[in-house]
């Protein structure tokens, strides 16, 4: 489940999710910033940031 909500509610939401057996691993994984509209930035395992490429070919879901 991905939940998008204002930053001021994030910690309360995480605490609430942690109380449920299926939400014990809930975490904040991203943020919405005032970058160029439509740009998705990924943080790499090296700590740098890169732009997520648009899907090419068939528009199938990404299964990682």
């Amino acid at each position: 489940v991905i939940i998008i909500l204002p930053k001021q509610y994030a910690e309360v939401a995480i605490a609430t999710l942690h109380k449920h057996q299926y939400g014990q691993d809930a975490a904040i994984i991203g943020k919405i910033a005032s970058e160029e509209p439509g740009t998705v930035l990924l943080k790499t395992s090296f700590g740098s940031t890169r732009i997520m490429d648009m899907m090419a070919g068939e528009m199938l879901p990404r299964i990682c």
Side-chain angles (χ1 to χ4, degrees), residues 15-38:
T16 302
L17 289 167
H18 284 166
K19 293 177 184 177
H20 192 279
Q21 70 180 34
Y22 296 120
Q24 293 175 359
D25 295 327
I28 297 172
I29 62 167
K31 63 182 179 179
I32 297 175
S34 59
E35 303 294 330
E36 181 181 336

Side-chain angles (χ1 to χ4, degrees), residues 40-44 47-53 62:
V40 176
L41 301 174
L42 302 174
K43 187 172 279 189
T44 69
S48 62
T49 305
R50 71 178 186 86
I51 296 174
M52 182 173 170
D53 296 327
R62 291 178 186 240

